[in-house]
Amino acid sequence: IKMRRTLELCQRNAHRSGTGILGIAALLRGGKQATLVDNNPLCSQTAKRNVLLNNLADQVEIRTEDARIAAAKKVDVLIANIHYDVLQHLLTPEILRCKKWAVLSGILSSEAEKVIETLSGLPVEILRHWHTDGVWHTFLVAVFPHLFAKENLS
């Protein structure tokens, strides 16, 4: 995957934390810029510390906001480690039309079929589907922005 701009989205309850690790990993694997988003300020602070520890501050923007707002940003890769109740609002033509790839993780087995069904109605291809421990699912998705009908987008 060729990555220039990456967007990592996390949406956590106060007792769980996003660390920015997925966006940091994307940069360490050749990405040029990353925006790390979490709705929890403590998670954003943790991500900031991890970015500084990896000497990546000049390549990273950290935002504390709702994933549904941040997801509209034009990026090459969307990395979302997020529960389905939020993810379902991101799997729309309006959001995906400005992406090339998506890595969707943190998806429970009970929600994986819903993700597959939603993606099947969009101009995307699931390239890989991992499931571990019989609980967690991750999808690597190729997005074909040129196939989204412009007249269907608001």
Side-chain angles (χ1 to χ4, degrees):
I1 296 175
K2 187 174 181 178
M3 300 175 282
R4 293 189 60 79
R5 296 171 309 244
T6 303
L7 176 66
E8 177 189 344
L9 300 173
C10 292
Q11 190 100 351
R12 304 286 188 190
N13 296 326
H15 65 280
R16 298 182 68 190
S17 64
T19 62
I21 192 66
L22 299 176
I24 290 169
L27 291 172
L28 295 175
R29 299 282 299 167
K32 303 298 180 206
Q33 298 174 332
T35 302
L36 312 180
V37 178
D38 199 301
N39 66 335
N40 182 325
L42 294 175
C43 296
S44 296
Q45 289 175 7
T46 300
K48 183 177 182 179
R49 282 193 299 273
N50 288 332
V51 165
L52 293 172
L53 286 170
N54 284 279
N55 297 312
L56 296 170
D58 59 333
Q59 294 175 265
V60 175
E61 175 187 4
I62 298 173
R63 294 165 53 179
T64 303
E65 67 182 352
D66 189 286
R68 292 167 286 203
I69 295 168
K73 183 176 177 126
K74 183 177 180 177
V75 295
D76 298 315
V77 183
L78 169 69
I79 303 172
N81 183 22
I82 207 160
H83 291 289
Y84 181 76
D85 61 334
V86 176
L87 182 63
Q88 67 182 333
H89 300 290
L90 308 181
L91 301 180
T92 66
E94 293 81 9
I95 300 296
L96 292 177
R97 70 177 172 172
C98 57
K99 316 291 185 274
K100 296 177 184 175
W101 304 93
V103 179
L104 311 173
S105 63
I107 300 164
L108 295 169
S109 290
S110 61
E111 300 163 339
E113 282 303 316
K114 295 177 197 174
V115 171
I116 292 168
E117 183 179 324
T118 300
L119 291 173
S120 71
L122 297 167
V124 303
E125 180 181 351
I126 298 173
L127 299 176
R128 185 114 189 241
H129 175 193
W130 297 267
H131 48 92
T132 57
D133 302 331
V135 177
W136 298 106
H137 292 252
T138 300
F139 297 92
L140 171 61
V141 180
V143 181
F144 305 108
H146 61 284
L147 297 179
F148 284 97
K150 296 198 186 297
E151 63 273 6
N152 294 334
L153 300 173
S154 48

